[in-house]
Amino acid sequence: PMQQMSVYGPVVKIHPVVLASIGDSYERRNEGASRVIGTLLGTIDKHSVEVTNCFSVPHNESEDEVAVDMEFAKNMYDLHKRVSPSEVIVGWYATGFEITEHSVLIHEYYSREATNPIHLTMDTALQSGKMNIRAYVSAQMGVPGKTVGVMFTPLSVKYKYYDTERIGVDLLQRTRDAPNTTNGLTSDLCQVGGAAGRVQDMLATVLTYIEDVLSGKQMADNSVGRYLMDLVNKVPKITAEDFETMLNSNINDLLMVTYLSNLTQAQIALNEKIVVL
């Protein structure tokens, strides 16, 4: 297989849970296995492929041959469809830094399961000094009527996350500089406070920029101005008193729900103890 360094085709958007799952499957690989492979699940549109989930597929690999448990892959996909019907097979992944001859054979199988599947590689062994993540799409090449080869062309890779995934990503970021430290999840109130603090910092940066433009210290940028106008237009027109009333009402509702849930948990625990007695 050949690798061509030009980039074309859809943009591959990968969620953090996919990378964590691939890393976990590599750590749990069978003894003697050099790499792990698996199926990528997600959604497809005209310009991008969004990878939101994955699962590993057992396989045996030697210098001469490769055997993949196709039945396992089919059963796992059927189970995933029951939970997330919108997720379809978009390709497959393999740990490692390069594409091998066996990758071509595995890619042929996934070409029967999905239209133009992508192939994702994740350098879990850090051969290049960091965990490189690359995505490819294949195309046949050769002279008609002669031997036909396969060319893997790299695609642009971007990272995307849901709000719930952002919590885990932020937690990992805090342990990056000190891997031996332990950090727990912060409370909801702390997260709201942190988010409010970040918003305040961003607003301070915006105000500083506006003041510098008005005083002539900095040249005005039309694109920034359009973003600021769009931001101002999105802010709802509401008085401070109405906002405070609405906020207090929502807080009271939240406190009531929390109180009722705690009361229910206490009632259930009490009933269990009475039954035991």
Side-chain angles (χ1 to χ4, degrees), residues 76-190:
M76 283 294 293
Y77 177 54
D78 290 338
L79 292 173
H80 270 79
K81 281 199 300 185
R82 296 181 183 179
V83 179
S84 302
S86 60
E87 291 181 344
V88 299
I89 296 177
V90 298
W92 67 289
Y93 72 81
T95 57
F97 185 67
E98 57 186 14
I99 297 175
T100 66
E101 294 181 358
H102 294 161
S103 298
V104 179
L105 300 176
I106 300 172
H107 199 79
E108 288 180 359
Y109 162 72
Y110 280 95
S111 297
R112 297 192 295 268
E113 300 295 323
T115 303
N116 201 19
I118 63 169
H119 174 37
L120 186 74
T121 61
M122 182 171 169
D123 184 13
T124 49
L126 306 180
Q127 297 180 28
S128 59
K130 60 181 181 179
M131 190 176 290
N132 274 325
I133 299 165
R134 297 180 179 180
Y136 302 88
V137 67
S138 70
Q140 290 188 342
M141 60 175 295
V143 180
K146 302 293 183 179
T147 303
V148 179
V150 176
M151 176 179 64
F152 282 89
T153 305
L155 301 173
S156 297
V157 176
K158 294 183 178 180
Y159 304 101
K160 184 178 180 180
Y161 47 77
Y162 300 124
D163 292 338
T164 51
E165 293 175 322
R166 175 66 184 267
I167 299 173
V169 173
D170 290 343
L171 183 62
L172 292 175
Q173 287 287 345
R174 292 203 298 269
T175 60
R176 183 178 60 179
D177 298 328
N180 295 326
T181 60
T182 301
N183 280 300
L185 292 174
T186 57
S187 64
D188 293 341
L189 185 60
C190 291

